[in-house]
Each structure stands twice: as structure tokens, then as C-alpha cells.
Amino acid sequence: MGVHKAAGTTEFAQVTRPHELAFDLRRELVACWVTVSNAGGAVIPHGVPLPPLSPRDVEPVLDRVVDALDPQQSRLLVATVQGVLAGWLLLRRDPHPLVAHCGVVNHLQTRTSFRRQGIGAALMRHVPDIARDSMGLERLGLTARSGLGLEDFYRGLGWVEVGRWPGALRIAPGDDRDEILMSLVL
């Protein structure tokens, strides 16, 4: 796991291979995911039930994410403050040969106790350099759930909305949200 210091006390590290993920960090990633999801966060991947979640719900999905880590295909970017996980995200290359020059950002999460401290924005500011310089990517994409102000957050970081799937996400009966498609040219 490579570490480099950012301004203040936040440190950023990349995990590029499964064996690099320490047991304590794995446990913190699971705890973060559970806490963020149960607090209304938008990260609910395929294979995970709707909240409330427990570690048992998230562990198999995180294991699949970690098992797929590879320096040219998929990496975790983690932010820590005084040695404690503050946030993380997944950066991965699209596996299809027609779009292998594109990457996808998934699972951006800031631990609830670190919210409103710029952790998520700092993680997102690191992504373009890593994607371009370390993975050779030319464009990034992500999807966001409407109704949470996420599109404004990403726009403020230079991302562009390129489309919407109206009502694609059913949060609860009567609560359908758009899935917002966003892009960033590197």
C-alpha cells in the first residue's frame, strides 16, 4: 500500500493488490460501509440488501472488491486521519475492450464522524491523477443518486452530468430517484 501525505493530517493510500489490505483496514472499511449506508448514504451495490445493514451483509461484497484489486484494473484509495479510516473509494478500469480507456469511480464513502471535513472532495481530487498517471485512463465515469445533492458535489469538482435515468432507483415505495450519469475527461 503506497502512502503519501496531503495537507493537514489527512493521509491517502492506494491498495492495489488483495494481499496489501491489512485486516484492521478491512474491518474499518466494513464498519464505514455499514455506518454510511445506515445513515442514508447512497452506496448500495448489487448483492447488498437495503439498509439497515450489518457487517455480515457487506463483508462478501467487500471481499469481491478486494479480490479484484490489480494495479492496472482496480484500486482502493483510502483516506486516514491520525491512523483512522476517514473515507475511501474504488477506482476501476472498465473491463470491456471498447471502453478500456475509461474508468469508473464507485463506493465513495466518508465515515460519518469525518463528514463535512472535505474528505470526500479530497479523495475525488486525487482520483484523476491516479487514473491518468498510474492506470493510463482517459476518462472517468460515475453514477449518483438524485435527491441528495450529489450532482452539485461532483460538479464542483469538475464532473459533468451526461445523462439521467429518470426514476431508475426505487429507494422505497413511492420514492423513486433518478440515477445521474457523470463524466470527467482526464
Side-chain angles (χ1 to χ4, degrees), residues 17-18 21 26 29 61-69 76:
R17 297 189 187 279
L21 185 66
R26 180 190 180 280
L29 291 168
V61 178
L62 181 63
D63 288 343
R64 286 192 296 274
V65 166
V66 171
D67 288 346
L69 293 176
L76 290 175

Side-chain angles (χ1 to χ4, degrees), residues 62-143:
L62 181 63
D63 288 343
R64 286 192 296 274
V65 166
V66 171
D67 288 346
L69 293 176
D70 175 273
Q72 288 303 308
Q73 300 302 318
S74 180
R75 356 173 125 215
L76 290 175
L77 179 59
V78 299
T80 58
V81 175
Q82 297 179 344
V84 176
L85 179 73
W88 67 283
L89 61 75
L90 175 67
L91 171 61
R92 63 178 180 79
R93 176 184 303 279
D94 195 298
H96 195 283
L98 290 175
V99 287
H101 63 289
C102 298
V104 179
V105 176
N106 293 115
H107 310 306
L108 173 62
Q109 299 178 42
T110 300
R111 202 173 213 160
T112 55
S113 58
F114 287 96
R115 292 231 172 120
R116 310 257 183 264
Q117 296 180 30
I119 300 295
L123 282 162
M124 291 301 293
R125 282 192 294 274
H126 277 74
V127 167
D129 292 339
I130 294 166
R132 182 185 52 251
D133 300 342
S134 298
M135 296 177 73
L137 297 172
E138 299 171 21
R139 175 183 298 273
L140 294 175
L142 61 79
T143 60

